Amino acid sequence: MRVIDHVIKGGTAGLASARRGAVMDPNNGVQQAEVVLGGADALERAVAAAQAAQPGWAAINPQRRARVMFTVKALIERDLDELAVLLSAEHGKVIADARGDILRGLEVVEYCCGLPQMLKGEYSHGAGPGIDVFSMRQPLGIGAGITPFNFPAMIPLWMAAMAIAAGNAFILKPSERDPTVPCRLAELFVEAGLPEGVFQVVHGDKEMVDLILDHPAISAVSFVGSSDIAHYVYSRGVAAGKRVQAMGGAKNHGIVMPDADLDQVVNDLCGAAFGSAGERCMALPVVVPVGEETAERLKAKLIPAIAALQIGISTDPDAQYGPVVTAMHKASIERWIQTAIDEGSELVVDGRGFRLQGHENGYFLGPTLLDRVMPEMKSYQNEIFGPVLQIVRAPDFETALALPSKHQYGNGVAIFTRNGHAAREFAARVNVGMVGVNVPIPVPVAYHSFGGWKRSGFGDIDQFGLEGLRFWTKLKKVTARWPDGGGDGSNAFIIPTMS
Ligand code: NAD
């Protein structure tokens, strides 16, 4: 059985680890590898290597650090096909979608090629007599990233590229369910010329996460995963004196106004609700048609579109989505569908019981459509994270606006309309972090920033873009006086003012 080891100091660690986790092939339900579940010895080794490497890396001028990012970009592009196959084999998303996962991460690497511009400080000449004030952004030292299974390339790259380009050493603890691609990415950074010890990968579960959160040499933790764990990571990390950003789960709504182009909406919804088997934090698992007539027209178009969806193994070029990640997750999604039925929602299309010929043990689920879902239902209030679309009917715009605004999650939301005023009002008033206007999955581009609100995001600073730069650096403010000989005669016992 293939063993997936930590990547410490540019190579495998070779530490004897008593605990191992199973990495499954979701297409067939068989184990394909085992991943070491590390403990204190692995983390201590990684931290020691990071401490040795980081000061030298931070001392290299930003432009030379950026050159490493240019090479990382070229190497990821060189290996894109191979990485997509590896990613798809462990996650279960189809190859084209796996490429998208890598490419969205690559966009942040590209952004980091220009980081010297962003790292420039501010300067005020003559802020007082002979006084200049300037600021500089300095790296934090050692940062850690803890990432979920559903984007094993994009999310590690969001964190690693920003942290490293800013001059930090970075230790990644990827999901134990699909750990191969994160390791390959760390190896590519080393191949690109990054000094060993600047980007390392330690594998593990809660034990490793707790060790990271408590480690005094780690200054910052970036987490992406489910909300309860995000909240736990945030609280424990902050209590240990770290800077923490912790992105959580989601329940994104798509509001459909009566004037929307319904053919376009149905196409967008099918991709956003069922693509990647619904395992995206920016999926659209809730659709809110405004008005009964809109609801009926939308439902009539959704039913045949859903029936036409192609489900297949992740390497099938015709498949639109593949299996979910584990048997346990499949069972959880099936339980949520049953809960939704028991709560009184109308089962329009039932995806349970779907079997793919030749892959009967794969973790496949057909698409499910539920109508007449009500806000008080548990299946609406919670994240299902599977190929399940729930219709919540709203009589008017204000009711539709209130649904995502009042929901416990506030990651993404979309409005579909031809009415610019309605869209503008919606974007301004909705209590959600990322808004799409006729865009079903509004993940901002790399030079903006990513982050949800409410229980979708703990901590104040978002991922990547200028926010990411703020997260991975600390701002030093320097006030320098070069008087023209002698003192200026001011009373040194009184706080200096500009009066
Ligand atoms: P998860 O919370 O189970 O795991 C995330 C990370 O936390 C993994 O590295 C895992 O090893 C670790 N972990 C698991 N249990 C832990 C525990 N008890 N204590 C400490 N650490 C623990 O999430 P997942 O199932 O891998 O990913 C899916 C979830 O992530 C969904 O809720 C999804 O919405 C969310 N997500 C959010 C975003 C976002 O940006 N908001 C992006 C992607 C995924």
Side-chain angles (χ1 to χ4, degrees), residues 107-341:
E107 289 174 14
V108 177
V109 176
E110 287 169 353
Y111 174 76
C112 289
C113 293
L115 216 65
Q117 166 71 12
M118 266 69 78
L119 281 165
K120 279 195 305 190
E122 293 177 319
Y123 185 86
S124 297
H125 180 83
I131 293 176
D132 304 324
V133 179
F134 61 96
S135 62
M136 46 177 123
R137 291 215 159 264
Q138 296 190 321
L140 305 172
I142 305 176
I146 300 164
T147 52
F149 81 85
N150 69 326
F151 280 100
M154 178 182 83
I155 295 176
L157 284 173
W158 285 356
M159 299 173 182
M162 294 292 316
I164 291 167
N168 299 284
F170 180 72
I171 298 174
L172 173 68
K173 205 301 288 169
S175 170
E176 59 275 43
R177 296 185 210 150
D178 45 12
T180 295
V181 166
C183 293
R184 289 283 298 123
L185 292 173
E187 288 162 3
L188 289 178
F189 273 69
V190 174
E191 188 183 339
L194 189 72
E196 289 172 3
V198 177
F199 184 0
Q200 304 178 94
V201 181
V202 292
H203 299 293
D205 50 16
K206 177 173 166 48
E207 183 185 328
M208 181 60 88
V209 171
D210 287 348
L211 288 164
I212 290 171
L213 294 172
D214 296 343
H215 203 294
I218 296 174
S219 305
V221 174
S222 179
F223 173 92
V224 178
S226 51
S227 287
D228 286 349
I229 298 172
H231 187 237
Y232 167 77
V233 164
Y234 180 75
S235 312
R236 188 160 173 161
V238 167
K242 299 186 197 317
R243 183 178 289 182
V244 185
Q245 56 179 188
M247 277 66 195
K251 191 86 174 187
N252 306 323
H253 295 52
I255 312 301
V256 181
M257 296 298 287
D259 65 354
D261 174 348
L262 284 195
D263 291 323
Q264 184 66 48
V265 169
V266 166
N267 185 52
D268 287 350
L269 270 179
C270 283
F274 304 114
S276 197
E279 293 170 323
R280 291 184 183 134
C281 65
M282 290 294 273
L284 270 190
V286 177
V287 59
V288 183
V290 174
E292 282 300 307
E293 202 226 325
T294 313
E296 290 305 324
R297 284 193 296 128
L298 180 70
K299 187 172 168 181
K301 283 180 185 283
L302 268 173
I303 293 169
I306 288 174
L309 287 174
Q310 298 287 320
I311 302 141
I313 57 169
S314 56
T315 47
D316 175 353
D318 296 326
Q320 287 163 307
Y321 75 86
V324 301
V325 69
T326 57
M328 208 168 83
H329 188 48
K330 179 180 169 184
S332 155
I333 297 164
E334 288 172 333
R335 277 197 303 278
W336 275 120
I337 296 170
Q338 190 56 48
T339 302
I341 299 163

Side-chain angles (χ1 to χ4, degrees), residues 369-406:
L369 181 65
L370 295 152
D371 193 6
R372 303 193 183 279
V373 174
M374 306 300 286
E376 55 276 13
M377 293 179 181
K378 291 252 175 312
S379 61
Y380 166 76
Q381 290 162 358
N382 290 281
E383 180 179 46
I384 298 176
F385 217 56
V388 179
L389 178 60
Q390 293 171 289
I391 303 177
V392 182
R393 297 174 177 228
D396 51 43
F397 174 82
E398 290 298 330
T399 312
L401 172 71
L403 283 164
S405 297
K406 288 186 179 160

Side-chain angles (χ1 to χ4, degrees), residues 490-495:
S490 60
N491 183 344
F493 292 90
I494 297 172
I495 185 150

